[in-house]
Amino acid sequence: MEAKKTKNVLAAIPDLFFGSKVSGTARPLGVEVRFATTRQALLEGLRSGPDLVIVDLDAAHLDPLGAIGQVRPPGGPHVIAFANHTRVDLIERARAAGCEEVHTRGSLSASLRRILASL
């Protein structure tokens, strides 16, 4: 019987409360979450081949869209981005940069368990 591979999420989420929500939701599902708190950590994490990337578009110091555009290979990990609902321009730029899903923070929070369980 083949051992089940642990699913890995790279989360570029500087907000400690939301980060705790992500890791707390992932833990019982057997999903490992690694946090990128610097731009360099985000770039290295993207190169490591996570199954899913979740990025906070409001984390300007990480330049999440630039990092994703720089190292995300075709067929790479699924990328979910989120931003404040008032940041329509940023949401559109995320879609153009290759984020398959773009949510508001509330929408992602409501969908998080389903998303992580589907990995």
Side-chain angles (χ1 to χ4, degrees):
M1 183 176 211
E2 188 177 317
K4 188 174 179 183
K5 179 185 173 277
T6 300
K7 296 297 184 172
N8 293 293
V9 173
L10 175 63
I13 304 171
D15 179 312
L16 293 177
F17 291 111
F18 199 71
S20 292
K21 178 172 182 55
V22 172
S23 60
T25 303
R27 192 173 303 111
L29 297 171
V31 176
E32 181 181 318
V33 180
R34 290 175 294 132
F35 288 93
T37 57
T38 66
R39 180 167 173 28
Q40 185 63 31
L42 177 57
L43 289 168
E44 289 171 9
L46 285 165
R47 288 186 187 106
S48 73
D51 298 297
L52 173 67
V53 179
I54 302 174
V55 295
D56 182 347
L57 296 172
D58 291 313
H61 71 286
L62 297 176
D63 182 25
L65 294 180
I68 290 166
Q70 182 178 341
V71 300
R72 184 172 179 261
H78 189 74
V79 179
I80 296 176
F82 68 95
N84 184 300
H85 71 280
T86 62
R87 302 291 311 270
V88 176
D89 62 319
L90 193 55
I91 290 170
E92 289 305 316
R93 288 193 350 246
R95 287 189 179 111
C99 296
E100 290 90 355
E101 293 182 51
V102 184
H103 295 264
T104 63
R105 183 179 296 263
S107 168
L108 180 58
S109 184
S111 303
L112 190 58
R113 186 174 197 315
R114 176 190 53 78
I115 291 167
L116 295 175
S118 70
L119 290 178

